[in-house]
Structures are given as structure tokens and as C-alpha cells.
Amino acid sequence: MSETQGNSTSPTRRSLIGWGGAGLALGAAAAGGAVAMAKTGNDVAPAAAEAGAAVDFHGAHQAGIATPVQDRLHFAAFDVETEDRAEFVQMLKDWTAAARRMTAGQAVGEGAYGGLAEAPPDDTGEALGLKPSRLTLTIGFGPSLFEKFDLADRRPAALVDLPKFPGDNLDRVRTGGDLCIQACADDPQVAVHAIRNLARIGFGKVVIRWSQLGFGKTSSTTPDAQTPRNLMGFKDGTRNIAGTETDRLKNFVWVGDGDVDKNSAWMTGGSYLVARRIRMHIETWDRTSLQEQEDIFGRDKGEGAPVGKAKEHDKPFLKAMKPDAHVRLAHPDSNNGITILRRGYSFTDGTDGLGRLDAGLFFLAYQRDVRKGFIPLQRQLSAKDALNEYIQHVGSAVFAVPPGVRDKGDWWGRTLFSEEA
């Protein structure tokens, strides 16, 4: 542990240059009562959120899963370029030191100015003066990573390659990745700054394969919060798992001791993430009658109440909905109790060159086992859902998200890469 702690300290300017200019660390936790610390998975008080609160980086589980969902997202998938295991592990330690400090709202290293004029600044500068904005950074490891560094026997059985579903039209350049970083924050500049600086640390060792900016959370993990709406105008995630529902999190999200063998025990306390870029045919949807829109979802557009009910959270009577209604097909009662934790975001990425908006949902879902969560659920939806006429899955990835960083001596991926673990 002493060696690990040594790797977590701030680099000097000379040691930074020794990292080839790419290794960066971020400042220590902001002091004072203006920054409220929220434990992973618990709610942040509204006043604290408005003050630009920091979310605790340490915990049994990574922040950014059951944590109250922030307003903005920058998601990046990386490919590994180095073949040197020790170099990659050192990068993970450097990333952890950076993430630990960045989530507390500090500038990178010695800052964006005031250092040696002959060397690049430590900090890229765009987040100077900004509050932590509840920034969370969450790492995941893709199936392809286990083809490297002699990790084949450590790949969990639940980390399967997703099958091709009916209607998929996946863009190869927006699919897959050896590892991912999910940056969520209430300020988009804070999230972008985080990904940018982690990419700098990884220069020469990893390269960004694809990335996605998101706005307008489409699901909430906060009890009693107003349910957000997707770009189709409907409330989304009414029955989503809340960060305070410890029993549901244990049952459906966190990997338990009984889910792993001796080679995959490193995943205990972690989760599995499915990321899907779902393009919405906005122009076609906008010319669809209100009645048809409500029939497709199985809820009314105003209140969000299920068919035949008055309030959004009234227990739905599934048989009152059309057989191909989205809510009816996605409901746990129609899927042997399958439940996933959603924390997706809307996106708009300009136009497609034909005058149509390139917009939709960047779907993020955490679960205890992809084989028992997303895969059977998506098979049901892709085959029968009336909503399929208006959407198409164009990007896809799956990642094993390891447990949380427990203390200042711990680091991302330690349970996978450390012989001691």
C-alpha cells in the first residue's frame, strides 16, 4: 500500500515531464462549508447541489451509478495502445489520483498558469473558477481489454459480447472500446474538462475511440424527484431504481459474492454497464398524432399516468395497454421481474446531412448481470415494441464496472490487476 500511496501524490514539474508531458494529477479537496460532500449512492441536498457540491470519490461502489443523476454527461470509450502491463497499471493509478482530486474541484497539478514558461501548463484551464458541480467519474473495462495483458482468465462470465438485435444498425466507430470513463456533472464544462485531462494523462497508452456528450437526464435515481422527459416529450424512468433503495440495488445492480468465481471475484461490489446510442426519428415522431404517441408508450403525455390511471406512479394495468406498447413490454411483470438501473441522457449532434436532426437517447443501464438484465429485455423490445418505428440503435458497448476506490491508497482496477487483491 505504501507504494500505491506514493503513486498517488502530486507530480512535480520535472516528474511530469518524465511522464512525457501526459501524466497529470489534480488538486486536493476543496475546503470550507460551501462544498458539501455526499456519500456514494445517497441524495445530495438541493441547497448543496445548487452550491456546486462535491460527491465523495471513495466508497464501496463507484460514484456515478446510484448517485443522484447530474444534468450533463461526457462519456468516452478508449482503446489501449500500450502492450506494457506495468505502464497501463501506472496509468490507472495516475488516472485515479487525478479523478480523486478533480471530483473535489481542484485545478490540475500546478494549475493553468504560473509554472515554467518552457513547459505546457498542468491544467487545460477551462474549469478554473468553476465549482465541482457534483462531478463523478466512473470507469469500466470492455470485453476486448481481456484479450490483452494476459487477462483472459479474469474475464467475468457475465461480461458477454452483446448479440445483434433486430433493427440494430451499429456504427463501428461508435461501438465497443477497451475501457470507458463516464463523466457526469451539473456543468458541461466540468465534465468535458475531466475527460480531456484524463485523455492527456493517457496519451501514448490509450486513445479515445468514440465519445458522446449528453444533456437533459432521462432518468432519475432520486426519490420523489420530478421524472425527467426524453426528446419525444414523455416522462422517462418512472419506476427507476432510487439510490436510496439499498435492497433493490443489492438485488439488481451490485455484483455479489455468489455471482463470481475465484477468477472474477475482483468484480464483487461492481456492476455491468450497457451503453447504447439510440437515434430518434424526430421528424416522423413530430408528425404522429397525440393518441398514437400515447398508445405507443402506454402513458399519457401530460401526467405520465399509465393507461386507465390518473397519476404517474399509479400501478399500471398492463392488459389495458396495446400489446406492443413500450411500457407494457418493458415492465418487470412482462419480463420475469427483470429490473435495470437507468441513467441515460438526451443528445443532439447536429444534422445527418439530409436536413434531419441527429438526436436521441444515449442509453446507460447498470445491472448485476447483462445476461439476466439488458439482453433478454432488449430481445423482447426489439422484436415487438411499437416504438421501434421511431428509433434505431446505432452505437453499442458493454463494460464491467469494478467496485469503488475505498481509500487514498486504493486505485481503479486494483482488484483486477493487483496480485495482492
Side-chain angles (χ1 to χ4, degrees), residues 28 49 52 83 198 235 246 351 374:
E83 297 179 357
L198 292 178
K235 291 184 176 181
T246 53
T351 63
F374 177 79

PDB file of all heavy atoms in Angstrom, residues 28 49 52 83 198 235 246 351 374:
ATOM      1  N   ALA A  28      -6.141  18.953  -4.407  1.00  0.00           N
ATOM      2  CA  ALA A  28      -6.797  18.305  -3.278  1.00  0.00           C
ATOM      3  C   ALA A  28      -8.204  18.831  -3.078  1.00  0.00           C
ATOM      4  O   ALA A  28      -8.631  19.789  -3.694  1.00  0.00           O
ATOM      5  CB  ALA A  28      -5.979  18.535  -2.020  1.00  0.00           C
ATOM      6  N   ALA A  49     -26.519  20.939  -3.825  1.00  0.00           N
ATOM      7  CA  ALA A  49     -26.377  20.792  -5.265  1.00  0.00           C
ATOM      8  C   ALA A  49     -26.266  22.152  -5.935  1.00  0.00           C
ATOM      9  O   ALA A  49     -25.457  22.357  -6.839  1.00  0.00           O
ATOM     10  CB  ALA A  49     -27.563  20.012  -5.827  1.00  0.00           C
ATOM     11  N   GLY A  52     -22.894  23.790  -5.970  1.00  0.00           N
ATOM     12  CA  GLY A  52     -21.820  23.140  -6.715  1.00  0.00           C
ATOM     13  C   GLY A  52     -21.118  22.086  -5.905  1.00  0.00           C
ATOM     14  O   GLY A  52     -19.895  21.972  -5.932  1.00  0.00           O
ATOM     15  N   GLU A  83       1.396  -2.070 -24.909  1.00  0.00           N
ATOM     16  CA  GLU A  83       1.418  -3.511 -24.630  1.00  0.00           C
ATOM     17  C   GLU A  83       2.113  -3.798 -23.310  1.00  0.00           C
ATOM     18  O   GLU A  83       2.254  -4.954 -22.919  1.00  0.00           O
ATOM     19  CB  GLU A  83       2.126  -4.250 -25.768  1.00  0.00           C
ATOM     20  CG  GLU A  83       1.416  -4.128 -27.112  1.00  0.00           C
ATOM     21  CD  GLU A  83       2.148  -4.859 -28.225  1.00  0.00           C
ATOM     22  OE1 GLU A  83       3.241  -5.422 -27.952  1.00  0.00           O
ATOM     23  OE2 GLU A  83       1.636  -4.874 -29.362  1.00  0.00           O
ATOM     24  N   LEU A 198      -8.019  13.462 -18.401  1.00  0.00           N
ATOM     25  CA  LEU A 198      -7.700  12.039 -18.308  1.00  0.00           C
ATOM     26  C   LEU A 198      -7.104  11.538 -19.622  1.00  0.00           C
ATOM     27  O   LEU A 198      -6.193  10.701 -19.634  1.00  0.00           O
ATOM     28  CB  LEU A 198      -8.951  11.240 -17.930  1.00  0.00           C
ATOM     29  CG  LEU A 198      -9.484  11.468 -16.517  1.00  0.00           C
ATOM     30  CD1 LEU A 198     -10.755  10.657 -16.294  1.00  0.00           C
ATOM     31  CD2 LEU A 198      -8.442  11.120 -15.456  1.00  0.00           C
ATOM     32  N   LYS A 235     -42.365  11.372 -20.093  1.00  0.00           N
ATOM     33  CA  LYS A 235     -41.603  11.098 -18.881  1.00  0.00           C
ATOM     34  C   LYS A 235     -40.915   9.749 -19.024  1.00  0.00           C
ATOM     35  O   LYS A 235     -41.477   8.796 -19.543  1.00  0.00           O
ATOM     36  CB  LYS A 235     -42.517  11.108 -17.658  1.00  0.00           C
ATOM     37  CG  LYS A 235     -43.064  12.491 -17.320  1.00  0.00           C
ATOM     38  CD  LYS A 235     -43.882  12.489 -16.041  1.00  0.00           C
ATOM     39  CE  LYS A 235     -44.337  13.900 -15.682  1.00  0.00           C
ATOM     40  NZ  LYS A 235     -45.127  13.932 -14.430  1.00  0.00           N
ATOM     41  N   THR A 246     -31.604   0.426  -1.099  1.00  0.00           N
ATOM     42  CA  THR A 246     -30.469  -0.483  -0.948  1.00  0.00           C
ATOM     43  C   THR A 246     -30.821  -1.928  -1.300  1.00  0.00           C
ATOM     44  O   THR A 246     -29.981  -2.649  -1.851  1.00  0.00           O
ATOM     45  CB  THR A 246     -29.918  -0.417   0.484  1.00  0.00           C
ATOM     46  OG1 THR A 246     -30.989  -0.648   1.415  1.00  0.00           O
ATOM     47  CG2 THR A 246     -29.324   0.964   0.764  1.00  0.00           C
ATOM     48  N   THR A 351     -27.002  17.717 -37.629  1.00  0.00           N
ATOM     49  CA  THR A 351     -27.911  17.068 -38.564  1.00  0.00           C
ATOM     50  C   THR A 351     -27.203  15.932 -39.282  1.00  0.00           C
ATOM     51  O   THR A 351     -25.988  15.771 -39.190  1.00  0.00           O
ATOM     52  CB  THR A 351     -28.441  18.072 -39.605  1.00  0.00           C
ATOM     53  OG1 THR A 351     -27.336  18.566 -40.386  1.00  0.00           O
ATOM     54  CG2 THR A 351     -29.135  19.245 -38.930  1.00  0.00           C
ATOM     55  N   PHE A 374     -30.121  -6.635 -19.457  1.00  0.00           N
ATOM     56  CA  PHE A 374     -30.369  -5.954 -20.718  1.00  0.00           C
ATOM     57  C   PHE A 374     -30.678  -6.906 -21.864  1.00  0.00           C
ATOM     58  O   PHE A 374     -31.576  -6.630 -22.678  1.00  0.00           O
ATOM     59  CB  PHE A 374     -29.159  -5.092 -21.090  1.00  0.00           C
ATOM     60  CG  PHE A 374     -29.310  -4.410 -22.420  1.00  0.00           C
ATOM     61  CD1 PHE A 374     -30.090  -3.268 -22.535  1.00  0.00           C
ATOM     62  CD2 PHE A 374     -28.702  -4.921 -23.559  1.00  0.00           C
ATOM     63  CE1 PHE A 374     -30.240  -2.632 -23.770  1.00  0.00           C
ATOM     64  CE2 PHE A 374     -28.846  -4.303 -24.794  1.00  0.00           C
ATOM     65  CZ  PHE A 374     -29.620  -3.154 -24.888  1.00  0.00           C
TER      66      PHE A 374
END
